[in-house]
Amino acid sequence: KQILLNLLSNSIKFTPEGGQVILKASLLRSGNLTISVSDTGIGMTPDEIEIAMSPFGQVESRLTRKFEGTGLGLPLTKAFVELHGGTLRVRSSPGRGTTVFVRFPSERLAPRRKAR
């Protein structure tokens, strides 16, 4: 739950009015679960992604900041995902948006209930 809240709130925060935020989830044949959160927001360069993924990393300087936050959202989300044996990847392009991909291994998913 916290992983999704962090990813969705980041996408909403960094997407201007009129933009899009898209959540997708898929259960793969391997049994792994993949989740992606995509937006049409401000996007980041590879160097900015590295900053954003570090604890307390802020892409903007304190003097030019437009967005509130502690810089812990993505690092904590990545840590939560990894605690479940999963992986988190970020793909982004300035001015075009960001997609965060999360994969959880099948062994971390609750067993499916059979339909009655």
Side-chain angles (χ1 to χ4, degrees):
K1 177 179 167 183
Q2 191 62 52
I3 291 165
L4 286 175
L5 286 173
N6 288 0
L7 294 177
L8 288 168
S9 65
N10 270 359
S11 282
I12 291 166
K13 178 171 36 172
F14 294 109
T15 299
E17 188 174 329
Q20 286 188 317
V21 174
I22 299 168
L23 170 65
K24 293 181 182 178
S26 299
L27 187 58
L28 305 177
R29 286 187 182 150
S30 64
N32 294 341
L33 173 67
T34 62
I35 298 170
S36 67
V37 177
S38 300
D39 63 58
T40 57
I42 61 174
M44 297 179 282
T45 66
D47 288 341
E48 290 170 333
I49 292 170
E50 191 173 328
I51 292 167
M53 294 303 294
S54 65
F56 303 104
Q58 298 284 335
V59 174
E60 295 182 295
S61 77
R62 279 191 6 226
L63 300 175
T64 63
R65 260 175 84 176
K66 296 183 224 168
F67 304 100
E68 294 295 319
T70 60
L72 289 173
L74 281 174
L76 278 174
T77 301
K78 184 175 188 236
F80 292 152
V81 169
E82 289 174 348
L83 283 170
H84 287 283
T87 57
L88 182 144
R89 289 185 305 115
V90 179
R91 184 177 66 206
S92 190
S93 180
R96 297 192 58 175
T98 300
T99 301
V100 178
F101 301 93
V102 175
R103 183 198 59 80
F104 292 105
S106 60
E107 55 272 5
R108 293 303 299 165
L109 305 179
R112 284 183 168 180
R113 292 184 185 169
K114 294 186 180 191
R116 294 182 188 185

